[in-house]
Amino acid sequence: MGIKTVAVFSEADRSSMHVRYADEAYYIGAAPSTESYLNIDKIIGVAKQSGADAIHPGYGFLSEKASFSERCANEGIIFIGPTAHAISTMGDKITARKTMIAAGVPVVPGTTDKVNTEKEAISAIKEIGLPVMIKASAGGGGKGMRLVKKEKDIVGSLRAARSEAAASFGDDAVFIEKYIDSPHHIEFQILADKHGNTVHLFERECSVQRRHQKVVEETPSPIMTPEKRIEMGNAAVAAAKAVNYSGAGTIEFIVDDNLNYYFLEMNTRLQVEHPITERVVGVDLVKEQINIANNHILPFKQEDLHQHGHAIECRVYAEDAENNFMPNPGLIRHLTEPYGFGVRCDGYVYEGYTIPIYYDSMIAKLIVWGENRDEAIERMKRALFEYKITGVKTSIRFLSRIMEASDFRSGRYTTHFIENNLPFLLAEGDYGGKSSQLYEDIALMVTSFDYQSRLGEKTSKWSPLMNSSIWKRIGRRRTHTEM
Ligand code: MV4
């Protein structure tokens, strides 16, 4: 777009790629995010100092902070995202529910107002019927929720949900919903300009998740019908219009096996999984976000938008699946990323880079496209096979097993997919047995020694175990041919 970029970085991100790629980069503080990426004053300070006219908040940190959107507006800096009003309305789940009811968007049967007393809770649950979910109004993404199955557990769960909400969010307001068992998580991408035009860019199926962390997403959803898609898309547009939304946003629904759908929450930001929508609908969502912030009119209408083929995203985490998915930060020794037709690899690590311990353990997103779902799955398996990372444990093999699981292949899976298939997903598969990591390391060492023997004595003092990339070690001053 020809726009100059300014990066901010914490102590832990000095050697990150975004710092090198940006036109300018500014240090904003120590590694903990409260001292850097969550420090509004520091970020506004950099915007002023550098003369940046807009801030893109990404998809973490301050991206859904109403006070940050407001501060930008007050400082005359464009926040590439919705207004503080839209963020705070959707951030408060009771207000969001009420707004959705008024807009005619289906919500899960439950209480409209916050539940104040144990007596109120008991009578509400009598009406709704067990099982129910008690949810924190200030929560979201699974925080501050309690499932209640038995009458005798109501009081205890209410107290627990309330105190957890008070401790986590400083707000103990809770509401109660009917529990939807084994749901699908299906979300709709929307785009809205500042001139009253709102469109949806269809759905993403996000039911492959573990502890409220998404692992695989795909579009179209294998359980969607053309009729439901139109109905839910219209509901998503109505939801966005109800808060005068502008920018990119996502309406999350839970969907039961009979395709009854209920509004859960709205994410008032770009999401991690946006590339699958970009690929299937053919729209660059970040470009549209920037143009919307710049007061442009949306360049397409609903009837211009179509889904073409099938896209899948796998999130690659630096974690140890066999050790309860424990984060596994550290030095990247060797990296080979997949490529080719229909493959997009959005990563940030490189050989010699050390993943810091401070932030999320997601290190890459692998997105593939195929003419149809089966082709997309086959392409994903090929791309995962080509993807080699040594030095840290990653979820690549686990993802490969997901692609082979019969529940995934059939397309009939719910949010319980991972827990229901864990032994299969952790077992050795086509991808290679437990020894495959050892073989990979040996192959890497052999390659490294081979290079060294051909490059002559001069370089042989470099142990391949110190750094797997010969290019990094010797490539700084002399080129390969000079050696
Ligand atoms: C529910 C539910 C069942 N019934 N609400 C989890 C995250 C938060 N956004 C709401 N969540 C749920 N709310 C009712 N009334 C089940 C979940 C849920 C879930 C939802 C979407 C994706 C994954 C999930 C995993 C566990 C529970």
Side-chain angles (χ1 to χ4, degrees), residues 187-416:
E187 58 186 32
F188 273 71
Q189 175 70 52
I190 67 101
L191 277 177
D193 67 22
K194 294 180 185 172
H195 307 277
N197 304 300
T198 306
V199 297
H200 71 83
L201 292 91
F202 310 100
E203 80 280 9
R204 293 185 287 260
E205 167 76 60
C206 304
S207 299
V208 180
Q209 54 81 45
R210 191 187 154 271
R211 299 202 184 156
H212 306 298
Q213 200 179 44
K214 291 166 190 162
V215 177
V216 175
E217 306 95 348
E218 62 177 315
T219 186
S221 165
I223 66 159
M224 191 59 75
T225 64
E227 298 75 31
K228 263 303 160 200
R229 181 171 290 121
I230 291 168
E231 197 184 326
M232 291 176 71
N234 289 339
V237 168
K241 281 182 181 279
V243 290
N244 256 319
Y245 198 81
S246 71
T250 298
I251 312 292
E252 274 184 31
F253 295 103
I254 39 174
V255 181
D256 69 20
D257 281 332
N258 299 318
L259 293 188
N260 297 308
Y261 62 96
Y262 309 96
F263 170 88
L264 259 196
E265 49 194 76
M266 180 174 191
N267 295 303
T268 54
R269 55 173 164 81
L270 187 74
Q271 284 190 281
V272 169
E273 60 272 26
H274 73 277
I276 57 173
T277 298
E278 293 189 322
R279 191 62 187 76
V280 161
V281 187
V283 171
D284 180 336
L285 288 169
V286 178
K287 184 178 91 179
E288 298 309 330
Q289 283 190 295
I290 292 168
N291 283 335
I292 289 166
N294 218 1
N295 296 319
H296 289 204
I297 293 169
L298 278 182
F300 34 70
K301 302 213 173 314
Q302 190 65 56
E303 57 266 30
D304 301 326
L305 300 172
H306 303 281
Q307 294 165 296
H308 176 60
H310 199 99
I312 304 174
E313 173 179 272
C314 281
R315 296 189 185 192
V316 178
Y317 292 98
E319 64 186 18
D320 185 356
E322 287 166 0
N323 194 5
N324 199 25
F325 302 87
M326 183 112 75
N328 193 243
L331 172 68
I332 303 291
R333 291 181 179 279
H334 175 88
L335 173 68
T336 303
E337 290 177 334
Y339 42 78
F341 183 83
V343 176
R344 168 176 172 178
C345 189
D346 284 13
Y348 87 104
V349 303
Y350 54 88
E351 288 182 6
Y353 177 75
T354 299
I355 301 164
I357 59 166
Y358 295 96
Y359 314 117
D360 198 278
S361 58
M362 184 174 65
I363 57 168
K365 308 186 289 188
L366 177 56
I367 301 103
V368 304
W369 177 88
E371 287 284 349
N372 53 52
R373 188 168 187 268
D374 283 341
E375 191 180 282
I377 292 172
E378 289 308 314
R379 185 165 284 139
M380 181 62 86
K381 283 172 68 175
R382 185 269 291 176
L384 288 166
F385 182 76
E386 286 181 6
Y387 210 154
K388 304 291 179 204
I389 301 176
T390 65
V392 300
K393 294 211 161 114
T394 75
S395 56
I396 291 173
R397 193 177 349 151
F398 185 75
L399 291 163
S400 199
R401 285 297 277 174
I402 292 174
M403 294 301 123
E404 288 162 12
S406 61
D407 283 354
F408 182 78
R409 299 220 58 133
S410 73
R412 288 190 299 273
Y413 58 87
T414 71
T415 49
H416 299 304

Side-chain angles (χ1 to χ4, degrees), residues 133 135 142 145 177-180 185 209 212 265 415:
M133 287 278 237
K135 296 185 176 184
M145 291 189 339
E177 282 180 356
K178 176 90 191 146
Y179 176 64
I180 310 295
H185 171 145
Q209 54 81 45
H212 306 298
E265 49 194 76
T415 49

Side-chain angles (χ1 to χ4, degrees), residues 20 30 55 61 85 105 107 123 140 174 178 206 226 312 378 397 449 472:
R20 294 194 209 174
I55 299 178
F61 299 126
H85 165 76
V105 177
V107 299
S123 75
V174 297
K178 176 90 191 146
C206 304
I312 304 174
E378 289 308 314
R397 193 177 349 151
F449 280 122
K472 272 262 165 290

